Amino acid sequence: ARNEIKQFQKIPNVGKATIKDFILLEINEPYELVGRYPYKIYNNLCKIISQHHDPYAIDVFISAVAKWKAEKLKVGVFTLEKKEHFSNQ
């Protein structure tokens, strides 16, 4: 269950690079993902690093945030959501 997750690496799809991104974003604990908007996380990261980050990070952010709503989510599920999001802009 989500309440049992105390480390980012316990969240599916989150690896060392994403953990470094979270640290840059001052998201220091997994519970801090609750209520976050993945696209805003991504946009904030791009601002912090002063360049566009790999768009794949959006899939990971969507998956990590969604982990707090459901179990066993895969990054591929969110690629379609990301495509729909950007096609509507």
Side-chain angles (χ1 to χ4, degrees):
R2 69 183 187 193
N3 295 337
E4 297 170 3
I5 298 174
K6 305 290 185 213
Q7 300 173 331
F8 286 116
Q9 54 266 47
K10 300 289 184 182
I11 300 173
N13 310 312
V14 172
K16 291 178 183 179
T18 303
I19 293 169
K20 287 179 184 179
D21 293 341
F22 287 149
I23 291 168
L24 282 173
L25 291 157
E26 298 181 4
I27 300 171
N28 299 306
E29 301 288 336
Y31 72 85
E32 295 177 52
L33 293 169
V34 174
R36 298 269 185 147
Y37 186 61
Y39 300 98
K40 188 171 183 177
I41 294 172
Y42 177 79
N43 289 335
N44 289 342
L45 179 60
C46 292
K47 287 177 189 175
I48 289 169
I49 64 173
S50 300
Q51 65 184 24
H52 285 284
H53 197 286
D54 179 354
Y56 179 74
I58 298 170
D59 295 299
V60 178
F61 295 154
I62 293 169
S63 176
V65 170
K67 175 64 180 169
W68 298 95
K69 298 175 186 171
E71 295 291 322
K72 302 206 179 202
L73 301 170
K74 296 182 180 179
V75 169
V77 171
F78 301 106
T79 301
L80 179 59
E81 177 183 326
K82 180 178 71 176
K83 286 179 183 177
E84 290 175 7
H85 173 83
F86 286 111
S87 69
N88 291 328
Q89 291 187 351

